Amino acid sequence: LFKKCLFPQDYKGQKLAEQIFQGIILVSAVIGFIYGYITEQFGWTVYIVMAGFALSCLLTLPPWPMYRRNPLKWLPVQESGTEEKKAADRKPKRHSKS
């Protein structure tokens, strides 16, 4: 449960979210530039790009189910005593005198 809350997206979901985000920003920038050029109003360009940014944030920031289709496989939890035994079994390295 804790891991699911910390990492709501998998790697493929992150890639999809990034592609959607960049695509919406690019399309809104092109549309905004064209519309602003035609109307000769730079403000409309800014408004359209800001609307595209808001839309892309709405679609990509929440952990929608389409971004969680390929969950990560976590390693099993190891007992803490296992690591201490391994450390105690190791012998310290001795440097030879040359």
Side-chain angles (χ1 to χ4, degrees), residues 58-75:
L58 180 67
L59 291 176
T60 59
L61 289 180
W64 298 109
M66 65 182 173
Y67 302 131
R68 295 184 279 156
R69 290 185 180 158
N70 303 301
L72 299 174
K73 292 182 176 51
W74 295 90
L75 293 174

Side-chain angles (χ1 to χ4, degrees), residues 20-30 49 52-54 56:
I20 290 172
F21 185 81
Q22 289 180 355
I24 291 173
I25 294 293
L26 180 65
V27 169
S28 68
V30 169
V49 171
F53 178 75
S56 63

